[in-house]
Amino acid sequence: MNSDRAMSTVSPASTTNDDIANGFQNLGISISNVNDLQITCFSDVFNDTTLHFQIIRLPKQIYAWIGCDSAKFGHLYAAARTRPNNTVSVSSLLGGNSDNTGSGIARRIVIKTGVPLTLACNIPKDSPMLEAAAEKKLVQMLNALGYTKSKH
């Protein structure tokens, strides 16, 4: 699935939510809205490894799940900006510790979006290329969905 080319043609700022949902469905990406929640599910293949993604946009935070070759939940992390100097703090909620793969992804996503994040991730810790590909794909989708903070 080459979604990079197709995703660049979808502009959330100039289209309606229904147009975006229909465009993503044509790419095999599922988007559904329930009350104030927006749920997006998609998969991507990187070097013969299937990565599965689920993004749930809550009113003031994002929940994301990255699955590697299975629907296993993996480790769970929470990340948010903290005071007084606005750095990003990450906490391991289930399994693992703060130096596992998911904690780095969570920290960088909060920096890029400005929104608190809960991330479940089961990417193997000895796969930096897979980790980078998963993070890149997640950031691309968050950008396409309009979840990132503005540059202004």
Side-chain angles (χ1 to χ4, degrees):
M1 172 170 103
N2 186 357
S3 58
D4 293 336
R5 178 185 54 79
M7 278 181 22
S8 65
T9 63
V10 177
S11 174
S14 64
T15 58
T16 66
N17 286 340
D18 290 336
D19 293 337
I20 294 169
N22 290 335
F24 283 135
Q25 285 175 347
N26 292 337
L27 298 171
I29 300 168
S30 168
I31 298 177
S32 60
N33 289 309
V34 180
N35 297 330
D36 287 339
L37 303 178
Q38 183 177 24
I39 303 168
T40 306
C41 301
F42 62 101
S43 295
D44 193 40
V45 177
F46 176 77
N47 287 347
D48 297 328
T49 303
T50 303
L51 294 169
H52 304 285
F53 299 85
Q54 180 180 52
I55 302 168
I56 301 175
R57 173 66 171 177
L58 302 162
K60 293 185 179 183
Q61 70 177 357
I62 298 170
Y63 165 83
W65 169 74
I66 304 171
C68 180
D69 283 333
S70 73
K72 183 180 171 187
F73 187 72
H75 301 300
L76 182 65
Y77 300 93
R81 294 202 176 268
T82 54
R83 294 182 184 180
N85 54 3
N86 212 23
T87 60
V88 176
S89 295
V90 180
S91 180
S92 175
L93 302 177
L94 287 174
N97 54 36
S98 61
D99 64 357
N100 279 341
T101 301
S103 66
I105 294 173
R107 181 181 317 277
R108 290 183 294 272
I109 296 293
V110 170
I111 290 169
K112 291 173 184 172
T113 64
V115 179
L117 172 75
T118 303
L119 175 69
C121 180
N122 76 349
I123 297 174
K125 66 179 178 179
D126 59 346
S127 302
M129 295 300 290
L130 189 59
E131 176 184 357
E135 182 178 343
K136 180 180 177 184
K137 187 55 73 174
L138 182 58
V139 169
Q140 285 176 348
M141 185 58 68
L142 291 172
N143 284 334
L145 292 169
Y147 293 168
T148 55
K149 64 184 175 184
S150 73
K151 300 289 184 194
H152 306 317

